Amino acid sequence: DKTKNEIIEILRELPVAYKSWIHERYEEAESLENSQTEVAEQNLKLCSEAVSRINDGIDLLVEDDLALEAFCLSNKAMLLQQVHYNRKTREIEDSWEELPSFPPKLAINQGKWRVFQLAFILMNLRGAFRGYQDPSRELVDLIWFPTGGGKTEAYLGLSAYVIFVRRLHNPDDAGCTVLMRYTLRLLTVQQFQRAASLICACENIRKSYPVNK
């Protein structure tokens, strides 16, 4: 387990690298035609706003221990569901295999966030933590990424965070926390399976959590 300072230090690397990338794109924009430069600068301004939101999310983890705890638990839940989801489907006659112990044995491609996934979660930490009191709740973030790129994990990670924030605030608050809406496609079945796997992981964590918390 990493300490709070170690976690924050690792997370800070993301906005620093992103800000450096934006600076390089500004230099490239100077060589474009005037009409293209204007559009490029508008887009890069939005990127800079995203950096500010990412830093604000990390600041929340520094300021509030409950937010940090919810963030760590959501990461644990996502890891457990990732390992569990990739297991072979159980046949009726097979013996039951419990959820993996923590930390589980990981494959090379497991236990890692893609940059845009982590950025999306960090951008929304404060809004998800403060609820309607935060101005960012007026924003709608669209994850624009190719199929199979990891969009589902991004919003499931944030969903897990919201769930843990709510239950840590009030252990008796077991109402509806997240609404998911899907189109009627075969892909919906896979989305439901992933979400169900995450909820099972969250429940597994809740059952093993200290009662006094």
Side-chain angles (χ1 to χ4, degrees):
D1 293 341
K2 295 186 180 297
T3 64
K4 178 178 180 177
N5 289 337
E6 289 174 331
I7 293 172
I8 299 304
E9 184 178 353
I10 292 172
L11 293 176
R12 290 290 188 197
E13 294 179 8
L14 194 158
V16 169
Y18 192 12
K19 191 172 182 178
S20 176
W21 180 87
I22 293 172
H23 179 72
E24 293 175 0
R25 300 293 79 75
Y26 266 114
E27 293 180 345
E28 289 183 0
E30 294 177 356
S31 63
L32 300 175
E33 297 180 3
N34 291 337
S35 59
Q36 295 176 327
T37 300
E38 183 178 352
V39 174
E41 290 181 349
Q42 290 175 353
N43 288 330
L44 290 172
K45 181 181 178 181
L46 294 175
C47 291
S48 296
E49 292 176 1
V51 171
S52 296
R53 290 178 62 193
I54 292 171
N55 275 318
D56 188 45
I58 299 174
D59 289 342
L60 172 65
L61 301 182
V62 175
E63 300 163 6
D64 196 292
D65 289 339
L66 189 147
L68 178 62
E69 187 171 9
F71 178 75
C72 291
L73 290 175
S74 65
N75 275 268
K76 180 178 181 178
M78 285 299 296
L79 179 59
L80 287 175
Q81 75 84 26
Q82 185 183 51
V83 174
H84 181 264
Y85 181 77
N86 289 327
R87 294 190 305 175
K88 180 182 177 181
T89 302
R90 181 173 69 98
E91 301 293 340
I92 296 178
E93 63 274 11
D94 290 344
S95 59
W96 177 251
E97 183 180 352
E98 293 292 338
L99 281 165
S101 59
F102 196 86
K105 294 182 179 179
L106 302 176
I108 297 178
N109 62 337
Q110 291 181 324
K112 300 176 182 178
W113 285 114
R114 295 182 181 180
V115 176
F116 84 90
Q117 295 171 333
L118 183 57
F120 170 77
I121 293 172
L122 293 174
M123 285 171 59
N124 290 284
L125 286 184
R126 193 177 291 275
F129 186 75
R130 294 180 58 189
Y132 294 106
Q133 300 174 1
D134 194 86
S136 67
R137 295 286 292 214
E138 299 297 322
L139 301 176
V140 176
D141 290 311
L142 174 64
I143 307 178
W144 186 266
F145 217 78
T147 299
K151 297 184 295 295
T152 300
E153 286 74 13
Y155 76 74
L156 284 182
L158 184 61
S159 297
Y161 168 77
V162 173
I163 290 171
F164 282 117
V165 164
R166 186 166 177 172
R167 294 303 291 270
L168 287 171
H169 272 305
N170 180 8
D172 295 324
D173 188 352
C176 180
T177 306
V178 179
L179 290 176
M180 298 182 184
R181 182 179 178 182
Y182 298 114
T183 55
L184 295 176
R185 298 167 53 192
L186 185 60
L187 184 62
T188 303
V189 176
Q190 185 188 57
Q191 302 294 310
F192 175 78
Q193 290 173 336
R194 292 186 182 182
S197 182
L198 174 63
I199 295 302
C200 288
C202 290
E203 174 64 8
N204 185 265
I205 292 173
R206 185 197 67 79
K207 289 168 60 178
S208 62
Y209 212 65
V211 177
N212 59 351
K213 286 194 176 184

